[in-house]
């Protein structure tokens, strides 16, 4: 085989591999047809890769009229998971045929809440966001800085979320204050919209003389509402907290607690997304004591994966171990960047 034939042979092989990889099709409501490689769809955003673009396309799920994709995991609003592909039904409106093992189902696109291609690698399942903020008040010489980081991984049945944030305040003639919190949650789907969850969180706050409060938790949760625009989940379980207060009379204590949680997330609001989360801890060790952690945020997406965000965090303790305020809250604005 001479050099010319050898070169032609490898070009043919490469072209065949390209054609095999570029077999997915996306049909938009504007009448466009994209041919390439489907990556994923979650939180109403579809990710699609083509040879003729430097970056992956991110398309609003409501703008999709049909899909033709291969082996994927398709999650529906009623908690059923299908392993198979999708075929469009363009003459029937926003309907698709789910072609799974030994069955074929017709369903509206709006009933599909997540799709993960089996070919997607680990890197494409990870999302990382970083943001920071700064404020200065001249009247009383107050400077406040904030920083926050989040990371998440979404697998076929497992999910992992971690977060860390710090707020520091410096004011003339007043001792500086520092507030640091973070934690992680591991979730495992068990049946349809039900899941089991475990994790831990920690908080330190110099203003309340709280050196460290760490809480481990384990519980079950359920998606009460889950569709292509929003989800609302609730859950219950048990928790164990360890607290260490400083000051003139250092105090330590352990507390066995119940756990109640609720989370609401709206992510199909044009370039906005809204999240509200609350954890409630009624103590069994110190009967009558309640702790509540709430986190509310509104995010607006900017070009180049940047965003601006407003956040409100509130921690309530009905009966602190020492004489400090029952309420601790932070309101902050920040600008950030997300990698996915």
């Amino acid at each position: 085989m001479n050099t010319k034939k050898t070169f032609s042979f490898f070009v043919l092989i490469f072209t065949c591999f390209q054609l095999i990889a570029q077999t997915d099709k996306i049909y938009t409501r504007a009448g466009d047809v994209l041919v390439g490689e489907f990556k994923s769809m979650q939180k109403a955003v579809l990710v699609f890769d083509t040879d003729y673009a430097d970056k992956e396309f991110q398309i609003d799920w409501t703008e999709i009229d049909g899909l033709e994709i291969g082996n994927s995991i398709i999650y529906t609003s009623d908690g059923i998971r299908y392993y198979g592909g999708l075929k469009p039904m363009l003459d029937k409106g926003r309907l698709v045929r789910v072609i799974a093992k030994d069955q074929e189902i017709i369903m509206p696109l709006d009933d599909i809440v997540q799709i993960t291609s089996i070919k997607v690698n680990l890197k494409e399942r990870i999302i990382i966001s970083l943001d920071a903020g700064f404020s200065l008040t001249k009247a009383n010489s107050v400077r406040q800085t904030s920083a926050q980081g989040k990371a998440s991984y979404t697998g076929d049945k497992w999910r992992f979320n971690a977060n860390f944030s710090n707020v520091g305040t410096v004011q003339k003639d007043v001792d500086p204050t520092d507030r640091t919190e973070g934690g992680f949650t591991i979730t495992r789907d068990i049946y349809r919209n039900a899941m089991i969850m475990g994790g831990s969180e920690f908080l330190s706050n110099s203003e309340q003389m709280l050196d460290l409060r760490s809480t481990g938790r384990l519980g079950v949760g359920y998606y009460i509402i889950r569709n292509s625009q929003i989800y609302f989940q609730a859950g219950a379980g048990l928790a164990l907290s360890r607290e260490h207060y400083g000051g003139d009379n250092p105090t330590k204590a352990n507390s066995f607690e119940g756990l109640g949680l609720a989370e609401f997330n709206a992510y199909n609001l044009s370039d906005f997304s809204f999240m509200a989360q609350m954890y409630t801890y009624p103590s069994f060790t110190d009967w009558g004591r309640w702790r509540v952690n709430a986190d509310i945020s509104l995010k607006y997406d900017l070009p180049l994966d940047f965003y601006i965000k407003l956040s409100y965090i509130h921690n309530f303790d009905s009966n602190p171990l020492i004489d400090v305020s029952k309420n601790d809250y932070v309101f902050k604005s920040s600008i950030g960047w997300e990698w996915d």
Side-chain angles (χ1 to χ4, degrees):
M1 185 180 291
N2 58 37
T3 303
K4 184 176 181 180
K5 289 183 178 180
T6 302
F7 177 76
S8 299
F9 173 77
F10 281 109
V11 168
L12 178 62
I13 293 296
F14 177 78
T15 303
C16 289
F17 277 116
Q18 286 294 99
L19 290 174
I20 292 172
Q22 302 287 313
T23 55
D24 299 327
K25 293 182 181 179
I26 304 299
Y27 299 85
T28 71
R29 302 185 74 172
D32 299 320
V33 180
L34 302 178
V35 179
E37 183 180 6
F38 173 83
K39 295 292 186 178
S40 65
M41 190 283 289
Q42 61 178 331
K43 292 188 176 180
V45 176
L46 183 148
V47 181
F48 197 71
D49 191 22
T50 66
D51 281 343
Y52 49 81
D54 293 334
K55 290 190 63 177
E56 295 172 342
F57 285 98
Q58 293 191 355
I59 310 170
D60 192 316
W61 184 239
T62 60
E63 297 301 318
I64 302 299
D65 205 32
L67 298 90
E68 185 174 336
I69 62 176
N71 290 335
S72 301
I73 306 172
I74 301 129
Y75 303 79
T76 64
S77 57
D78 56 4
I80 298 176
R81 183 185 293 110
Y82 296 101
Y83 294 82
L86 293 175
K87 293 289 185 181
M89 300 181 66
L90 301 178
D91 57 335
K92 302 292 185 180
R94 298 185 74 237
L95 294 176
V96 290
R97 285 187 293 134
V98 179
I99 303 172
K101 183 179 180 181
D102 300 328
Q103 59 181 327
E104 185 173 316
I105 306 100
I106 296 175
M107 70 174 58
L109 286 175
D110 288 335
D111 286 354
I112 299 175
V113 297
Q114 181 179 327
I115 310 172
T116 302
S117 173
I118 293 178
K119 297 177 290 184
V120 169
N121 58 36
L122 175 64
K123 183 183 72 172
E124 293 169 325
R125 295 174 182 261
I126 296 174
I127 298 176
I128 298 174
S129 64
L130 303 168
D131 56 67
F134 175 79
S135 65
L136 173 64
T137 305
K138 183 179 179 181
N140 49 6
S141 301
V142 176
R143 298 192 308 274
Q144 186 179 75
T145 59
S146 65
Q148 178 171 285
K150 291 186 176 182
S152 66
Y153 164 81
T154 302
D156 300 342
K157 295 183 178 181
W158 291 89
R159 293 183 297 279
F160 174 82
N161 294 277
N163 67 88
F164 174 87
S165 68
N166 174 266
V167 178
T169 304
V170 177
Q171 184 176 357
K172 186 177 180 181
D173 300 326
V174 177
D175 290 337
T177 61
D178 186 81
R179 185 184 191 280
T180 303
E181 65 179 328
F184 70 90
T185 301
I186 300 174
T187 305
R188 172 63 158 82
D189 294 334
I190 51 178
Y191 178 73
R192 293 204 173 185
N193 282 326
M195 68 202 80
I196 185 170
M197 301 174 292
S200 179
E201 64 180 34
F202 68 88
L203 170 67
S204 68
N205 189 337
S206 60
E207 187 175 6
Q208 291 189 310
M209 293 183 286
L210 177 61
D211 290 342
L212 180 65
R213 177 191 292 132
S214 59
T215 303
R217 55 180 185 257
L218 180 66
V220 293
Y222 187 82
Y223 284 111
I224 298 173
I225 302 173
R226 190 187 188 195
N227 56 44
S228 60
Q229 296 180 325
I230 63 173
Y231 74 73
F232 174 66
Q233 69 177 40
L238 299 173
L240 177 64
S241 293
R242 301 176 182 272
E243 297 175 284
H244 182 192
Y245 283 87
D248 296 333
N249 297 301
T251 303
K252 295 182 180 180
N254 296 335
S255 178
F256 181 54
E257 302 165 322
L259 167 66
L261 66 95
E263 181 175 335
F264 175 82
N265 202 322
Y267 37 77
N268 195 8
L269 308 172
S270 186
D271 291 324
F272 287 93
S273 59
F274 174 80
M275 187 276 292
Q277 184 183 73
M278 183 174 70
Y279 285 89
T280 303
Y281 300 99
S283 177
F284 300 135
T285 305
D286 185 4
W287 192 254
R289 182 187 183 192
W290 286 74
R291 293 192 301 107
V292 179
N293 298 339
D295 187 351
I296 301 172
S297 65
L298 178 66
K299 187 176 77 168
Y300 179 73
D301 292 329
L302 299 172
L304 302 177
D305 296 325
F306 285 92
Y307 61 86
I308 53 177
K309 185 168 68 172
L310 299 176
S311 302
Y312 176 76
I313 301 170
H314 194 122
N315 300 103
F316 170 77
D317 188 342
S318 66
N319 188 24
L321 295 183
I322 63 174
D323 186 18
V324 294
S325 173
K326 296 180 179 181
N327 292 282
D328 172 39
Y329 61 87
V330 176
F331 178 82
K332 59 183 179 180
S333 58
S334 57
I335 183 169
W337 177 79
E338 185 172 80
W339 177 83
D340 56 13

